[in-house]
Amino acid sequence: MKSVLIVEDNPSSMRLAQDVLTREGYQVFTARNADEGILLARDHMPAVIVMDIQLPGTDGLTATRLLRADEKTHPIPIVAVSAHAMDDDRTKILDSGCDEFLQKPIQYQEFVRIIADLAGDGRTHTDRSM
Ligand code: MN
């Protein structure tokens, strides 16, 4: 069974994403902050990470850079989600090393499709963290 790690501090966003991915057949790990998420990523090596950008403490962009800088977690695809989506935010998010970006509220069909693509094929873009 493929696994997905969700890093999300908002309980209702977490529950929705968790329900959708569980129903799609993924094993789901959950973290409410970046530090916990990074530990779970190293321990479980999920097929994909869903990363909320606005998190208490370490934010999702910083967490993404840390995951990309770690030789173990470096290859795990990351889907960023954020309520804030100015065009330059999007650029900043993708430059941090995220593979995909979704604006909240999440469109769940698109969400599921992106997760499936990334879980099946690994990272789909050229490596932005280099
Ligand atoms: Mn948040």
Side-chain angles (χ1 to χ4, degrees), residues 16-36:
L16 269 171
Q18 188 173 5
D19 286 352
V20 166
L21 294 178
T22 300
R23 203 159 54 230
E24 291 292 318
Y26 296 98
Q27 180 179 16
V28 178
F29 301 107
T30 63
R32 294 194 180 278
N33 61 63
D35 295 339
E36 187 189 352

Side-chain angles (χ1 to χ4, degrees), residues 72-109:
K72 186 173 181 190
T73 57
H74 176 83
I76 305 173
I78 299 175
V79 180
V81 296
S82 175
H84 300 276
M86 299 286 131
D87 280 348
D88 54 334
D89 288 339
R90 186 184 178 87
T91 302
K92 200 166 59 180
I93 288 166
L94 293 174
D95 282 349
S96 78
C98 294
D99 296 81
E100 294 284 352
F101 168 69
L102 290 173
Q103 185 169 6
K104 290 180 180 177
I106 299 294
Q107 305 298 312
Y108 279 91
Q109 284 183 331

Side-chain angles (χ1 to χ4, degrees), residues 8-10 52 54-55 104:
E8 170 66 73
D9 65 312
N10 180 283
D52 183 29
Q54 285 81 32
L55 293 167
K104 290 180 180 177

Side-chain angles (χ1 to χ4, degrees), residues 114-128:
I114 285 171
I115 296 289
D117 284 351
L118 291 175
D121 306 330
R123 302 180 65 190
T124 54
H125 69 68
T126 54
D127 192 337
R128 293 185 177 86

